[in-house]
Amino acid sequence: MDLCISFLLLILSLFLYLYWSFKKAHMFFENLNVPYLKPNLIFGNMTDVMLLRKSLAEVYRDIYNKLEPHRFGGVFTMKKPTFLIRDPELIRDILIKDFAFFSDRGITSDRTNEPMSYHLFNMKGDEWKNLRIKLTSTFTSGKMKMMFPLLTRCGEKLSQVIDKIPENESFDVKDLFARYTTDAIGTCAFGLETNSLDNPNSEFRIMGKKIFEFRYKSLIRTLWTNIPSSLVKLLNLTIVDTKIEKFFMNIVDTTVKYREQNNITRSDFLDLLIALKNNTILQKFHDGAEQDDLQKFLHQIGDKFVKSDVEMTNDLLAAQAFLFFAAGFETSSTTLGYALLELCLNPTIQDEVRREIHQVLTSNDNQLTYDAVKKMKYTDMVIAETLRKYPPAAMLFRRCCENYKIPQTKVIIPANTSVIVSIYGIHMDEKYYTNSEQFRPERFTEQEIAKRPNYTYLPFGEGPRVCIAERFAKMKVKIGLIYALKDFSYQVSPEMKFPLEFEKNFGLLTPRDSIRLLRQKV
Ligand code: HEM
């Protein structure tokens, strides 16, 4: 009996302790005199995400709206406080001007135990700076020209696959473009013919799907920042699934060895990464385009040189190639899917894009060259508007590294607090984009852009941690769209479900169901 009472008392004390600790944690913004949304005791402001009722992107957009008219405000993920930044000038301060206070995303990754998660996106401090400087040379306009033929080959294949789809049969454009971007990134990052367009069940396509599958382990890692590495190992809570890790390690290892032994070079990322490993590329920083990119970066981080070097081992190289794959395929394929869906819903815009493609091709002997693609300005506007309405990476994450006083206020963001910018919230804000639900590429004429405040269009982020592959991503999407539209027109299939719903996940803003279209030859 006594034992039973002691046990009950223990449970009660535990509950009381938990209650007290959550309540205390939820006083964080009250104590700082910062506006915030009333949290739920357990889930904070994330109930809809935790119960898989909404995607994280939508939840942050809703919070962004509810915090109007404040420049910033507070929000909780369970107990964890996060500053949500709304004001464009403050966004500039955090992402660029005061970057030194917000230089990492607050993601823990352990080079020894989780080599595949030790990549540019997760890295911090001087090691990140050093690797970023090295990798900057991988994405310059000169390198994009080198990769252009690899991408057009994937575009041609895409067009052949579309050609084989029967006229009255609906198809899932989301899956089709995922196969195109898998092949594009496979050939550009790994130098491999991944054949996903021919074979929807190719190994790379399956691995690509696996990366974005919902995993409870990833959820725990998202919620539990600063998790001790001993626990990660003990509970196997790795960021990247071990099967995926082995697959990519093996691919990169064998390809690098094969190329080095047989003296093979190919104009792809892996070649550039191997050159970095062998230190043969840094001299090229003295060239024009690379020098400009590097100077801009060094200026933004307020540094003239970086103190420590990072050794480019095979593991580190594999992790970067993996990141290029993971960051590159789903973001671009969903952009393409959304773009084609909007073009079906807005047939005059679809006709206009096709007209531009035909006109540029006719004036260029029917050759799709790098310069011809650059001339297609209306297509750029359509892609820009797609990324506004559906920013795939819908939030920017930063960790405040040391106490930071928010300009023009008395508020101090304490060191180690998370900071978030809701890209989706800003892009759908009626203040900056009237009738924001409407798809209108004309928002991206030079005159219209000039009318908007800076830092209200952020699909690739901003500042020194901006997406390193912005040029490459835009080119991949544009080539995909050109090949999809050159010889075919599209309509929404009657099977397509509206309103469009998003995947209830913690990651990218992706459509939940397939995007079903019909195609006709033009
Ligand atoms: C439409 C396609 C893409 C979109 C919308 C996109 C968007 C983003 C965003 C929003 C960030 C965070 C920026 C910030 O925190 O300020 C990011 C970072 C990054 N992206 Fe992309 N991305 C795309 C494609 C790609 C591709 C194709 C690659 C690689 C081949 C790539 C590689 C990276 C890397 C390495 C980072 C981390 C940079 C760093 O921390 O230094 N992304 N991207």
Side-chain angles (χ1 to χ4, degrees), residues 406-446:
I406 298 184
Q408 300 151 42
T409 70
K410 290 186 178 138
V411 175
I412 304 235
I413 306 182
N416 275 321
T417 310
S418 299
V419 171
I420 279 190
V421 174
S422 166
I423 305 178
Y424 191 33
I426 295 172
H427 286 191
M428 298 307 282
D429 189 332
E430 292 287 322
K431 271 203 305 293
Y432 310 126
Y433 301 95
T434 39
N435 297 325
S436 61
E437 281 295 338
Q438 219 179 67
F439 188 81
R440 233 165 34 83
E442 288 67 27
R443 297 182 203 272
F444 290 90
T445 59
E446 272 175 29

Side-chain angles (χ1 to χ4, degrees), residues 200-257:
N201 296 316
S202 77
E203 229 180 341
F204 257 86
R205 175 76 186 112
I206 289 171
M207 283 300 154
K209 276 187 190 164
K210 257 187 172 313
I211 294 174
F212 292 97
E213 264 171 16
F214 177 79
R215 291 167 75 229
Y216 280 100
K217 287 176 185 178
S218 313
L219 171 58
I220 296 172
R221 285 297 292 261
T222 311
L223 299 178
W224 193 352
T225 40
N226 298 324
I227 183 167
S229 52
S230 50
L231 264 186
V232 170
K233 224 174 152 189
L234 189 73
L235 304 174
N236 192 20
L237 289 175
T238 51
I239 294 177
V240 182
D241 181 284
T242 24
K243 264 195 216 127
I244 301 176
E245 181 158 300
K246 277 193 191 132
F247 175 80
F248 281 100
M249 286 280 216
N250 187 29
I251 293 262
V252 172
D253 232 36
T254 42
T255 319
V256 170
K257 273 191 197 126

Side-chain angles (χ1 to χ4, degrees), residues 75-225:
V75 37
F76 293 94
T77 302
M78 301 179 85
K79 274 164 71 175
K80 189 180 115 185
T82 299
F83 276 80
L84 183 92
I85 310 298
R86 301 182 74 255
D87 173 56
E89 277 183 24
L90 188 52
I91 290 175
R92 179 213 49 207
D93 290 348
I94 284 173
L95 299 183
I96 303 175
K97 195 170 137 273
D98 297 321
F99 175 76
F101 290 83
F102 302 94
S103 60
D104 71 70
R105 299 192 171 90
I107 304 169
T108 38
S109 69
D110 174 348
R111 186 169 182 177
T112 318
N113 294 314
E114 294 187 85
M116 206 49 97
S117 66
Y118 202 71
H119 50 58
L120 200 68
F121 194 87
N122 293 345
M123 285 166 80
K124 300 176 182 169
D126 283 350
E127 285 209 319
W128 163 76
K129 276 188 209 167
N130 204 284
L131 192 62
R132 174 94 194 195
I133 287 175
K134 288 186 167 179
L135 294 182
T136 295
S137 69
T138 320
F139 294 94
T140 58
S141 40
K143 301 297 180 329
M144 294 307 103
K145 271 192 190 164
M146 270 163 61
M147 274 170 214
F148 182 77
L150 298 178
L151 287 177
T152 47
R153 231 172 289 148
C154 296
E156 278 158 19
K157 185 86 228 167
L158 172 72
S159 173
Q160 288 161 15
V161 172
I162 298 175
D163 196 38
K164 286 187 195 140
I165 302 171
E167 290 232 322
N168 296 321
E169 201 174 293
S170 85
F171 67 99
D172 177 12
V173 76
K174 193 173 113 179
D175 175 67
L176 181 71
F177 282 135
R179 282 155 56 202
Y180 159 73
T181 49
T182 302
D183 284 355
I185 204 89
T187 182
C188 290
F190 299 90
L192 296 173
E193 301 299 325
T194 49
N195 292 327
S196 307
L197 276 165
D198 279 330
N199 173 14
N201 296 316
S202 77
E203 229 180 341
F204 257 86
R205 175 76 186 112
I206 289 171
M207 283 300 154
K209 276 187 190 164
K210 257 187 172 313
I211 294 174
F212 292 97
E213 264 171 16
F214 177 79
R215 291 167 75 229
Y216 280 100
K217 287 176 185 178
S218 313
L219 171 58
I220 296 172
R221 285 297 292 261
T222 311
L223 299 178
W224 193 352
T225 40

Side-chain angles (χ1 to χ4, degrees), residues 202-444:
S202 77
E203 229 180 341
F204 257 86
R205 175 76 186 112
I206 289 171
M207 283 300 154
K209 276 187 190 164
K210 257 187 172 313
I211 294 174
F212 292 97
E213 264 171 16
F214 177 79
R215 291 167 75 229
Y216 280 100
K217 287 176 185 178
S218 313
L219 171 58
I220 296 172
R221 285 297 292 261
T222 311
L223 299 178
W224 193 352
T225 40
N226 298 324
I227 183 167
S229 52
S230 50
L231 264 186
V232 170
K233 224 174 152 189
L234 189 73
L235 304 174
N236 192 20
L237 289 175
T238 51
I239 294 177
V240 182
D241 181 284
T242 24
K243 264 195 216 127
I244 301 176
E245 181 158 300
K246 277 193 191 132
F247 175 80
F248 281 100
M249 286 280 216
N250 187 29
I251 293 262
V252 172
D253 232 36
T254 42
T255 319
V256 170
K257 273 191 197 126
Y258 181 76
R259 286 192 190 186
E260 285 182 337
Q261 278 162 10
N262 297 286
N263 230 346
I264 290 173
T265 53
R266 216 172 162 273
S267 308
D268 59 17
F269 290 144
L270 203 59
D271 249 18
L272 298 166
L273 291 173
I274 294 170
L276 285 176
K277 194 180 95 172
N278 302 331
N279 251 334
T280 52
I281 210 162
L282 286 177
Q283 298 92 318
K284 292 193 185 164
F285 273 140
H286 299 295
D287 298 351
E290 282 157 3
Q291 185 70 3
D292 288 351
D293 281 5
L294 181 67
Q295 284 312 327
K296 183 178 169 204
F297 176 74
L298 288 177
H299 175 74
Q300 283 188 333
I301 60 172
D303 232 335
K304 291 193 181 51
F305 60 92
V306 175
K307 293 100 197 163
S308 78
D309 201 354
V310 56
E311 195 196 346
M312 197 76 179
T313 57
N314 267 9
D315 280 4
L316 197 66
L317 193 149
Q320 310 321 308
F322 165 73
L323 170 66
F324 292 170
F325 183 76
F329 106 89
E330 183 90 353
T331 44
S332 323
S333 68
T334 51
T335 305
L336 276 162
Y338 289 131
L340 215 53
L341 175 64
E342 284 291 349
L343 294 182
C344 289
L345 298 173
N346 299 278
T348 46
I349 302 178
Q350 184 181 149
D351 291 344
E352 183 57 28
V353 181
R354 195 175 302 102
R355 197 195 56 74
E356 179 181 71
I357 296 170
H358 288 166
Q359 189 211 326
V360 172
L361 280 176
T362 311
S363 64
N364 204 48
D365 289 339
N366 253 335
Q367 300 298 311
L368 192 70
T369 57
Y370 184 79
D371 291 330
V373 168
K374 286 197 101 177
K375 281 185 197 148
M376 299 176 188
K377 301 284 182 213
Y378 187 71
T379 313
D380 283 332
M381 283 158 57
V382 165
I383 294 169
E385 174 66 346
T386 308
L387 286 167
R388 179 200 62 88
K389 198 171 166 193
Y390 309 98
M395 285 97 50
L396 302 176
F397 301 88
R398 295 291 186 270
R399 178 182 69 100
C400 179
C401 311
E402 47 183 294
N403 286 356
Y404 175 76
K405 184 177 161 304
I406 298 184
Q408 300 151 42
T409 70
K410 290 186 178 138
V411 175
I412 304 235
I413 306 182
N416 275 321
T417 310
S418 299
V419 171
I420 279 190
V421 174
S422 166
I423 305 178
Y424 191 33
I426 295 172
H427 286 191
M428 298 307 282
D429 189 332
E430 292 287 322
K431 271 203 305 293
Y432 310 126
Y433 301 95
T434 39
N435 297 325
S436 61
E437 281 295 338
Q438 219 179 67
F439 188 81
R440 233 165 34 83
E442 288 67 27
R443 297 182 203 272
F444 290 90

Side-chain angles (χ1 to χ4, degrees), residues 496-502 512-513:
M496 176 74 198
K497 289 186 205 139
F498 286 106
L500 188 72
E501 281 192 40
F502 299 115
R512 194 192 66 179
D513 303 308

